[in-house]
Amino acid sequence: MQVKRHPTKYLGEEYQRLVNESLNWELKELQSASEPVCTVDGREVIMLCANNYLNLSTHPKLIKAMVEATKKYGAGAGSDRSIAGNMTVHEELDRRLAKFKRAPASLTYQTGFMANEGLVPQLCEKGNLFVSDELNHGSIIDGVRLSHADRAIFKHKDTEDLARVMDEAEKHTPPYEHIWILTDGVFSMDGDLAPLSGIAKIAREHGAGVYVDDAHGEGVLGEGGRGIVSHFNLSRDEVHIEMGTFSKAFGVIGGHITGGEDLRNFAYNKSRTWLLSGGMPPGVAAACIAAIDVLESEPQHVKKVWKNREYFIKAMKDLGFDTGNSETPIVPIMCGESKTAKDLANFIWKKGIFALPIVYPMVARDKARIRTQLCTKHTKEHLDKAIAAFEEGGKKLGLI
């Protein structure tokens, strides 16, 4: 008997379920450039939830580079890089990034998600093993799911548990040919850092590879913003793949991987997201190069975002707020219940502060928070206004 089906009815039903359970995203419209003060849904607000840590998205050098490259090369690459779209500006960006990272080679992707989803599943086939931090980003999780390899999870940032998992893996019959340990560098919901030195040590003992997603550490951590590998002073023999993005501190868009020449050659021959997608627009690639130029020549941007972070987190702690385990310019304001986080976000929105609540299922039911993100161009006046709004809202809701 043929079943009567409706091809799309369930889409509306699922969306309505999300609405009923307050799990749906309610999109706000950014109507100006991403700056510390911007226009959102017709309101002038202080932006406290952007990834634009160094405010490079509006830096004159990036805008000039993008415009000039677009005039010279056109609006698009015209093809996949693997076919006919591998432009001079793409190759220059790969070389400049590798030099900036002090590594043998880099390869750029269209987005950070595409880097993880394209490369991760190619690293391990059936008979191999991925070992992943339990709080890794969804793009790593999806990349692992696309592989036929075995997978194991270790407790968040727990190197003792990682060692236990690795010891168990050594008992597998037949032995795993390849093992990759996967971790975020900066965990985006809490702003805490992976214990990368400890992870690298355990990996070395087992001959395993280390893959770190440093999306939120790029341009913020390490010498001159060179990232988490630089931050921990590790070598490319200790961290074999450093993945990152241009869409956060670099102020543009795109993803990338850095490591050895063998990694680059492997990645552009095996990553379907790289092979089968149009090349990065030349203007975007040129703006990414300009962002590297700025990081190398204007160190004040990195210094200022950390100065703002220290000022803000100290003030919030002094008021009695729980700022979780933050170690970076991502500072969570822990609220507990999802409703409390939403109520606080709505309160500060009315006071001219834009920061989003992060609620279940993105975090555990009792771990809802407002994730704040500091940037270079926040002034003391901006931060004081935000702190005052949080103080008033926090007292009203019984958080402090």
Side-chain angles (χ1 to χ4, degrees):
M1 178 180 172
Q2 185 173 346
V3 177
K4 187 176 181 180
R5 299 181 180 89
H6 191 291
T8 61
K9 183 180 179 182
Y10 75 97
L11 303 178
E13 292 173 345
E14 174 61 12
Y15 173 70
Q16 191 57 52
R17 181 189 70 79
L18 293 173
V19 172
N20 293 342
E21 296 179 18
S22 297
L23 299 178
N24 61 304
W25 283 98
E26 296 179 358
L27 302 180
K28 294 186 181 296
E29 182 178 343
L30 177 62
Q31 297 161 317
S32 64
S34 179
E35 290 274 40
V37 177
C38 52
T39 304
V40 179
D41 284 354
R43 295 172 58 93
E44 185 177 275
V45 293
I46 294 172
M47 174 70 81
L48 209 60
C49 57
N51 297 325
N52 193 16
Y53 297 113
L54 305 183
N55 293 117
L56 296 190
S57 65
T58 52
H59 195 292
K61 291 181 181 178
L62 274 69
I63 295 171
K64 182 173 184 277
M66 179 176 282
V67 171
E68 290 181 352
T70 301
K71 288 180 178 178
K72 181 177 181 178
Y73 294 108
S79 180
D80 305 350
R81 282 185 69 180
S82 58
I83 301 174
N86 187 38
M87 306 182 84
T88 300
V89 70
H90 295 140
E91 291 287 343
E92 182 183 354
L93 174 57
D94 289 350
R95 288 191 296 269
R96 285 297 309 281
L97 180 62
K99 183 179 178 182
F100 177 70
K101 289 284 191 177
R102 297 171 180 158
S106 294
L107 181 70
T108 52
Y109 287 70
Q110 295 83 341
T111 69
F113 201 112
M114 292 173 74
N116 281 339
E117 195 166 46
L119 180 57
V120 168
Q122 302 302 323
L123 294 173
C124 282
E125 299 178 346
K126 189 174 182 179
N128 300 313
L129 176 67
F130 284 120
V131 180
S132 185
D133 187 290
E134 65 180 344
L135 295 186
N136 275 343
H137 190 265
S139 57
I140 292 179
I141 294 170
D142 283 1
V144 171
R145 287 173 175 169
L146 288 171
S147 169
H148 295 291
D150 291 344
R151 62 201 68 168
I153 307 296
F154 64 96
K155 295 176 183 178
H156 180 49
K157 294 183 54 172
D158 189 333
T159 52
E160 288 187 9
D161 195 50
L162 172 60
R164 177 193 63 79
V165 170
M166 295 297 289
D167 288 342
E168 285 296 315
E170 296 292 5
K171 300 174 184 177
H172 188 268
T173 305
Y176 289 117
E177 185 177 2
H178 304 297
I179 301 176
W180 279 92
I181 301 173
L182 311 173
T183 184
D184 282 13
V186 176
F187 291 86
S188 61
M189 293 297 106
D190 293 286
D192 53 341
L193 296 179
L196 200 56
S197 295
I199 290 172
K201 179 178 182 295
I202 293 168
R204 185 167 57 250
E205 293 169 354
H206 294 270
V210 176
Y211 184 118
V212 59
D213 175 341
D214 197 35
H216 286 272
E218 295 286 351
V220 175
L221 296 174
E223 182 187 346
R226 285 174 171 81
I228 194 166
V229 176
S230 169
H231 176 80
F232 283 105
N233 196 30
L234 297 170
S235 73
R236 299 295 162 182
D237 292 326
E238 294 171 294
V239 178
H240 308 91
I241 303 177
E242 182 182 20
M243 171 267 167
T245 77
F246 293 110
S247 63
K248 296 178 174 61
F250 283 82
V252 198
I253 192 169
H256 55 82
I257 57 167
T258 293
E261 287 283 357
D262 288 344
L263 168 65
R264 174 183 159 86
N265 294 335
F266 177 92
Y268 78 73
N269 279 280
K270 300 285 284 186
S271 298
R272 290 188 181 186
T273 54
W274 193 92
L275 287 163
L276 304 178
S277 297
M280 179 187 287
V284 170
C288 291
I289 294 170
I292 296 172
D293 289 339
V294 170
L295 279 165
E296 290 179 330
S297 62
E298 301 177 15
Q300 66 268 26
H301 302 295
V302 178
K303 293 176 182 177
K304 182 66 187 312
V305 73
W306 281 100
K307 181 178 179 181
N308 283 343
R309 184 259 181 194
E310 296 306 319
Y311 180 83
F312 180 78
I313 196 170
K314 181 181 185 303
M316 295 299 281
K317 286 182 175 180
D318 287 347
L319 287 173
F321 281 105
D322 179 358
T323 57
N325 300 312
S326 171
E327 299 174 79
T328 65
I330 298 172
V331 179
I333 309 304
M334 305 303 293
C335 298
E337 297 300 319
S338 293
K339 183 179 183 304
T340 304
K342 289 185 174 183
D343 287 346
L344 181 56
N346 288 333
F347 182 89
I348 63 172
W349 167 257
K350 293 174 183 177
K351 297 290 183 178
I353 311 299
F354 182 29
L356 289 177
I358 306 296
V359 300
Y360 178 83
M362 293 187 70
V363 293
R365 289 185 185 274
D366 61 345
K367 297 291 184 181
R369 79 283 308 269
I370 292 180
R371 182 179 69 170
T372 65
Q373 293 166 275
L374 286 306
C375 70
T376 291
K377 289 168 68 175
H378 279 136
T379 65
K380 182 176 181 294
E381 290 70 28
H382 295 150
L383 299 180
D384 285 343
K385 182 177 178 180
I387 292 162
F390 272 110
E391 180 180 13
E392 187 177 351
K395 288 179 178 177
K396 182 178 180 181
L397 295 169
L399 286 172
I400 55 174

